[in-house]
Amino acid sequence: MSQSTLTPRPVSASAIRGHVYKVFPNDMNAHRTVFGGLVMSTIDRLALVVAERHSGRVCVTVSVDAMHFLAPAADGDTLIYAASVNRAWRTSMEIGARVVAENSYTGESRHIVSAYLTFVALDEHNRAIDVPPVLPETDIELQRYDEAEVRRALRLEHAERLTAMRETRR
């Protein structure tokens, strides 16, 4: 089945908004800020849910294109996660994630992490299978949709350059 025969799905059909995680002392690293691996793991799990909702299939993480830690989160902060599909190609999807740290007492919040992950959907034989196209409905969804194509082109160019480099060393 080609992607063009699959019904496009809106971003809102699979998005996660406002997933809350309260930070406790056991979530700290040696620097007394939230352990980045905890944030990364949560992002990967939420992005998986988005990918599976969008595709209606079992999905796997293919790559983490970027994980930008913009600011630390502290003991007592509340982490608020959001994740949505930015774009889908034939068998792969880019999922974007954003994490905000909120001080529950003052209401102050700050953007602490942005991430972009690529997932593929699998058939019953664990082979990549076609996924529905994304239907962006808002200006920000359209911006993310367009930006995802730029990131994909860079990923593909990077892979080609590394392959060429390795072949010249053989």
Side-chain angles (χ1 to χ4, degrees):
M1 183 182 311
S2 73
Q3 187 179 36
S4 62
T5 64
L6 297 173
T7 303
R9 302 214 44 204
V11 173
S12 60
S14 58
I16 294 173
R17 303 274 184 248
H19 177 86
V20 175
Y21 183 90
K22 180 66 176 174
V23 175
F24 287 107
N26 62 314
D27 298 322
M28 301 291 107
N29 61 26
H31 191 58
R32 303 299 305 151
T33 59
V34 172
F35 176 56
L38 170 82
V39 175
M40 292 169 66
S41 174
T42 305
I43 287 171
D44 191 32
R45 288 172 186 259
L46 295 176
L48 172 65
V49 171
V50 169
E52 290 184 341
R53 283 178 176 175
H54 181 78
S55 67
R57 297 289 189 153
V58 170
C59 293
V60 293
T61 311
V62 173
S63 68
V64 177
D65 191 48
M67 185 81 57
H68 302 284
F69 288 88
L70 307 171
D75 188 13
D77 278 346
T78 301
L79 303 182
I80 303 170
Y81 292 80
S84 60
V85 60
N86 290 336
R87 190 163 186 153
W89 295 274
R90 193 174 64 79
T91 62
S92 65
M93 300 160 275
E94 181 188 273
I95 311 299
R98 176 183 173 96
V99 185
V100 171
E102 175 187 88
N103 180 308
S104 299
Y105 310 111
T106 67
E108 175 196 352
S109 66
R110 61 204 176 283
H111 180 195
I112 64 164
V113 177
S114 284
Y116 303 97
L117 301 88
T118 302
F119 285 80
V120 295
L122 301 177
D123 68 11
E124 56 278 353
H125 304 290
N126 291 324
R127 290 186 296 239
I129 189 168
D130 290 354
V131 298
V134 171
L135 180 63
E137 298 178 306
T138 68
D139 288 343
I140 191 68
E141 289 172 0
L142 186 57
Q143 176 185 331
R144 291 174 181 156
Y145 181 88
D146 292 340
E147 289 173 355
E149 185 63 32
V150 171
R151 282 187 291 274
R152 181 175 191 257
L154 291 171
R155 281 191 301 272
L156 294 173
E157 178 188 342
H158 182 247
E160 288 172 12
R161 288 180 68 190
L162 288 175
T163 298
M165 216 175 166
R166 288 176 184 141
E167 288 175 358
T168 62
R169 294 185 185 216
R170 291 185 182 161

